[in-house]
Amino acid sequence: MDQFRTLTDLEQYLKYYQGKKSPDLGEYDPLTQADSDESEDDLVINLQQKNGGVKNGKSPLGEPPEPDSDAEVAGAAKPHLSEVTSEGFPSEPLGGLEQKAASSLVSYVRTSVFLLTLGISMILVLLCAFLIPCPPRDLHSTWSRHVGSQAGGDLSPLELADVNGDGLRDVLLSFVMSRNGSVTGVSRPTANLVCLSGMNGSTLWSTPLPEEARDITCLDLKPGSLAETVCLVTGTHKMLSTFNATSGKAIWTLNPNYLSNGTLVAPVVVLPDLDEDGVRDLVVLAIGELQPDLCFLLVSGRTGIPVGRPVKYNIVGVGNLIGPQVYITTNGAVYILFGFGNIQAVALRDIFVQAQNRDSSPPSLQIEEPEWEKRRSINLSELIDIYSDGVELLQMVKAPDSNCSNFLITTRQGLVLLRGQNLTPYWTLSLQGLRSQPTPGYFTNDQTLDFLLQIQDGIGMKKMMVVDGDSGSIIWSYSTPCHMKETPTTSAVTSDQKSVFLFWAEGLSATSPTSDIILGAEVPSLHHLYLLHPAFPSILLDLANTTGTVTASEVGINDLWKDAFYVTRATRPSSEGHPAALVVSKLSLRWALMEGQVTQFQETTPKIGRGELRRFLSRIKFVAAPYEI
């Protein structure tokens, strides 16, 4: 009876099982059906074992089932139900187990590799975000800082150098300010050397100076090394000091006793290493207080101690002091250029021999330049005549076809470009009223340096012009009102080897500059900064304006953002009897190009569209100048 009940239950289950496989329940899915079959098989076997029914195809007493029983019919319909192990569990093929094991291993390896890669990526992101400092973005790099009140002082030294290692050049300047005395209460002038952050204009450091500074030059005296940048400060009397550019602390100061009979009259000049201590050395020029003798003093760049005794030269000349400047020829000969209204040269070898009071010199100083040596005086003097016709200014410009420099000489009669190799004139331009230093830059397409000039052109007027560096001809000019005396001009080089030129003038209108101008009218109080690009010579961009007097300006390059910034030093007007306010400002040129106002002083055909001009200006990128003045 028990067996019948078991078989009856089995028959009902099989009928229910076959009903699940009817076509009415949808499509047949082999994977889903296989899982369902295995689970249902287990249920059938468990049911048989619980009720004492068939096990391994046999009855509990070991008797085979009847051939016509329902169990046999079910076995025919489901053959794999009889393929079980001795414990009653279905046996799987060996190949299936191996495939499942291999699939599980591959899945595990893939998951491990993915998680490992994800972990390494997250670590790298964290390192970049928190451990590696991101370079500071200069945004539009425009700020203005009131530094203090300038009480006296005719000089306006200004220098750019990266002193804090943030990749942005900072601003160094010196000025004379009034400060009350501690005992008498009387205001007395004091000089300060100040360094401002190139990022926001904040004060990085400040240090007092014993006298007004004539010049500030920041550089590395150990070429090819990772030494810190130092700043050389030359005073107006006897001061020569070297400061650590990062901290502002003095490294050494030249003992004034070495200049007891003279006064410094020019900025310090950097020389090659003379005493072979791994640091470049220096030379200063002093003039006697009671006699017109010029005195050269060689100074160690490492210690500030003189390298030998002073060397004196008695020269004859009338006019501006020229130099000193160091010049190295293509052969490696080193000369010092100087003069009064003229240009003379002396070999560094001769100065060194006299300073050391010996007949020999280092091998690097024994090189001579034949073309220069031919110009020695008839009496075999150490002085070499270079140019002697009313010299006002001397500057060196890189020659396009060699690794040496040419001499651009400003005279009372005009401008002369002299070849540095053989000292012969390249071209001469006759001009009257040229007093300020020409600004080199690329205006034409011949990769030869051209020059921006400003010339006094009547009362309250000046003429801006560009001179072709290859031929000496004037290729652009424009007259503009300007009452500021000797306003600075600068230039910046773009990535396509062109230059933009910047100058100051009073407000320009779109009318012709030849229109009637009332002379002697009230002097305007607003001056504008204008930019000239050689691609649009009929357009000037008005970038900024000021009510003060601009006394110095410098252009620096932000290599990271391919931008140029324009730094100015200006004094704002003050009431009578009060010192003028000293203001330092910084302006991003790429930002100013997009915000500037367009002044078109000459009609062109076809007419320049604002959209075309704006697209052109937005693509401008600035790079470091490949030339040195």
Side-chain angles (χ1 to χ4, degrees):
M1 189 69 179
D2 294 337
Q3 184 176 1
F4 176 79
R5 186 182 298 112
T6 302
L7 293 175
T8 303
D9 293 340
L10 180 60
E11 181 179 3
Q12 292 177 356
Y13 181 81
L14 290 176
K15 288 179 180 181
Y16 171 76
Y17 178 75
Q18 291 174 353
K20 285 183 65 178
K21 291 187 177 181
S22 68
D24 299 332
L25 297 179
E27 273 187 3
Y28 173 76
D29 186 348
L31 296 177
T32 306
Q33 190 64 46
D35 294 339
S36 178
D37 291 347
E38 291 177 4
S39 61
E40 289 166 357
D41 293 344
D42 294 338
L43 289 174
V44 173
I45 294 170
N46 291 336
L47 182 61
Q48 291 175 350
Q49 291 178 350
K50 179 178 179 181
N51 296 308
V54 178
K55 183 178 182 181
N56 293 338
K58 297 182 181 180
S59 66
L61 301 177
E63 298 175 1
E66 296 178 3
D68 56 350
S69 67
D70 293 334
E72 185 174 352
V73 174
K78 191 82 171 175
H80 69 276
L81 285 175
S82 62
E83 298 174 4
V84 295
T85 62
S86 58
E87 292 81 11
F89 298 98
S91 63
E92 293 187 32
L94 183 60
L97 291 174
E98 292 178 351
Q99 290 179 357
K100 287 186 177 181
S103 176
S104 300
L105 180 61
V106 171
S107 177
Y108 175 77
V109 172
R110 288 177 178 174
T111 304
S112 301
V113 172
F114 172 75
L115 293 177
L116 181 62
T117 305
L118 181 62
I120 294 175
S121 301
M122 292 179 64
I123 292 174
L124 292 176
V125 170
L126 292 175
L127 284 175
C128 295
F130 297 103
L131 299 183
I132 302 176
C134 296
R137 183 158 188 172
D138 215 4
L139 299 179
H140 58 265
S141 305
T142 299
W143 51 259
S144 184
R145 170 78 189 281
H146 179 271
V147 180
S149 298
Q150 181 169 312
D154 298 328
L155 303 174
S156 304
L158 184 66
E159 175 71 337
L160 304 180
D162 181 12
V163 305
N164 53 7
D166 62 354
L168 300 176
R169 298 177 70 182
D170 305 298
V171 183
L172 295 100
L173 71 155
S174 175
F175 62 97
V176 177
M177 59 184 298
S178 294
R179 184 173 297 174
N180 291 332
S182 58
V183 179
T184 62
V186 179
S187 178
R188 60 177 184 179
T190 59
N192 268 13
L193 177 64
V194 180
C195 180
L196 305 179
S197 169
M199 174 66 72
N200 52 28
S202 60
T203 301
L204 298 179
W205 52 261
S206 177
T207 184
L209 298 177
E211 63 187 51
E212 181 184 2
R214 179 186 301 275
D215 178 76
I216 304 172
T217 301
C218 296
L219 74 166
D220 182 6
L221 290 178
K222 296 181 180 179
S225 67
L226 298 178
E228 294 182 342
T229 301
V230 299
C231 293
L232 303 172
V233 181
T234 308
T236 56
H237 191 52
K238 295 181 181 293
M239 182 191 69
L240 175 62
S241 299
T242 300
F243 294 87
N244 185 302
T246 302
S247 63
K249 295 181 179 180
I251 300 175
W252 55 256
T253 298
L254 178 66
N255 191 333
N257 294 331
Y258 294 117
L259 300 170
S260 57
N261 296 324
T263 300
L264 296 177
V265 292
V268 65
V269 177
V270 181
L271 301 175
D273 183 13
L274 301 179
D275 51 9
E276 299 179 348
D277 60 356
V279 180
R280 288 189 286 183
D281 297 310
L282 314 169
V283 62
V284 292
L285 179 63
I287 187 172
E289 297 178 354
L290 301 177
Q291 53 186 357
D293 289 340
L294 292 180
C295 173
F296 287 102
L297 181 65
L298 300 178
V299 181
S300 170
R302 180 182 292 275
T303 63
I305 299 176
V307 183
R309 63 185 183 182
V311 179
K312 295 182 179 181
Y313 290 96
N314 190 349
I315 66 172
V316 178
V318 178
N320 293 344
L321 172 67
I322 305 301
Q325 297 187 40
V326 62
Y327 183 83
I328 302 178
T329 66
T330 54
N331 294 330
V334 184
Y335 294 90
I336 305 296
L337 282 67
F338 66 102
F340 274 105
N342 58 4
I343 303 175
Q344 294 182 309
V346 59
L348 181 58
R349 174 194 66 249
D350 297 334
I351 298 178
F352 181 82
V353 168
Q354 292 189 59
Q356 295 288 315
N357 194 21
R358 63 183 188 184
D359 296 333
S360 62
S361 61
S364 59
L365 299 183
Q366 296 178 5
I367 304 174
E368 294 183 352
E369 186 65 38
E371 294 296 330
W372 286 52
E373 296 298 327
K374 293 178 182 179
R375 289 175 169 258
R376 286 189 183 272
S377 301
I378 300 176
N379 57 359
L380 298 180
S381 169
E382 295 177 355
L383 299 180
I384 301 173
D385 292 328
I386 304 297
Y387 198 87
S388 58
D389 190 10
V391 178
E392 298 282 342
L393 297 168
L394 168 66
Q395 61 190 116
M396 298 181 188
V397 294
K398 185 172 178 55
D401 52 354
S402 66
N403 58 356
C404 68
S405 299
N406 293 330
F407 301 137
L408 185 65
I409 304 173
T410 302
T411 69
R412 289 190 294 266
Q413 293 78 29
L415 205 61
V416 179
L417 184 64
L418 207 65
R419 293 183 178 89
Q421 189 65 28
N422 53 20
L423 303 179
T424 59
Y426 200 91
W427 50 256
T428 301
L429 176 64
S430 296
L431 285 174
Q432 297 294 329
L434 179 60
R435 293 294 182 267
S436 60
Q437 179 170 281
T439 298
Y442 297 106
F443 194 88
T444 58
N445 298 321
D446 57 6
Q447 297 303 306
T448 300
L449 282 175
D450 308 306
F451 306 100
L452 175 68
L453 313 179
Q454 53 181 347
I455 300 175
Q456 193 69 28
D457 191 24
I459 301 176
M461 294 291 296
K462 70 176 180 180
K463 177 177 288 187
M464 308 301 301
M465 59 178 59
V466 177
V467 176
D468 186 1
D470 185 57
S471 63
S473 59
I474 299 174
I475 54 179
W476 182 90
S477 65
Y478 183 74
S479 292
T480 173
C482 184
H483 288 79
M484 277 198 299
K485 297 181 180 180
E486 298 184 1
T487 56
T489 58
T490 51
S491 65
V493 181
T494 61
S495 57
D496 58 352
Q497 288 300 298
K498 292 283 188 178
S499 294
V500 295
F501 297 88
L502 299 107
F503 62 90
W504 290 90
E506 291 166 14
L508 303 180
S509 63
T511 59
S512 171
T514 59
S515 59
D516 293 338
I517 298 174
I518 301 176
L519 300 180
E522 183 180 356
V523 177
S525 60
L526 194 63
H527 291 85
H528 298 255
L529 175 64
Y530 290 99
L531 181 143
L532 169 66
H533 195 289
F536 298 95
S538 62
I539 287 178
L540 292 177
L541 287 177
D542 186 353
L543 304 184
N545 57 70
T546 181
T547 58
T549 300
V550 180
T551 57
S553 66
E554 291 286 345
V555 170
I557 300 297
N558 186 336
D559 296 322
L560 182 62
W561 305 109
K562 301 299 182 185
D563 192 8
F565 54 90
Y566 181 73
V567 178
T568 58
R569 170 179 176 153
T571 55
R572 290 179 178 172
S574 60
S575 58
E576 186 176 355
H578 292 81
L582 178 61
V583 179
V584 178
S585 303
K586 180 181 178 182
L587 176 68
S588 166
L589 289 188
R590 291 191 67 184
W591 177 81
L593 286 174
M594 305 307 297
E595 300 294 329
Q597 300 296 320
V598 178
T599 300
Q600 185 165 350
F601 56 86
Q602 182 181 356
E603 294 295 332
T604 59
T605 305
K607 196 170 184 179
I608 302 172
R610 297 185 66 87
E612 175 191 359
L613 178 63
R614 188 174 181 85
R615 285 191 298 271
F616 177 83
L617 297 176
S618 66
R619 293 193 296 266
I620 291 179
K621 296 181 180 180
F622 294 95
V623 296
Y627 56 84
E628 295 181 1
I629 298 177

